[in-house]
Amino acid sequence: MNKDQIKGRVEEAKGKVKEIAGKAVGNARVEAEGGIEQIAGKVQKTYGDAKNEAGKSR
């Protein structure tokens, strides 16, 4: 597991917490920010996955 995979998963988790908190308090902006953070985390994790696979094929 490389640092991009770890950072991506952490960002995904933070986004999920933020989204749930936004729903709980009725704040659509915080909820949307959480969703964006989740997507960014997934992208970073996917990048890390691809980077890891590329390193294996060398």
Side-chain angles (χ1 to χ4, degrees):
M1 189 173 282
N2 62 39
K3 68 179 182 174
D4 289 308
Q5 291 170 312
I6 294 168
K7 284 182 179 180
R9 288 184 177 160
V10 168
E11 195 67 25
E12 243 183 298
K14 283 179 9 184
K16 186 67 175 173
V17 169
K18 199 170 193 178
E19 182 181 29
I20 291 170
K23 283 181 183 178
V25 297
N27 189 330
R29 181 176 176 223
V30 172
E31 187 178 340
E33 286 174 2
I36 291 167
E37 285 182 18
Q38 284 182 67
I39 293 168
K42 286 179 185 179
V43 168
Q44 187 168 13
K45 185 179 86 55
T46 302
Y47 170 73
D49 292 343
K51 192 171 155 182
N52 198 31
E53 286 300 315
K56 286 181 182 178
S57 40
R58 286 185 170 184

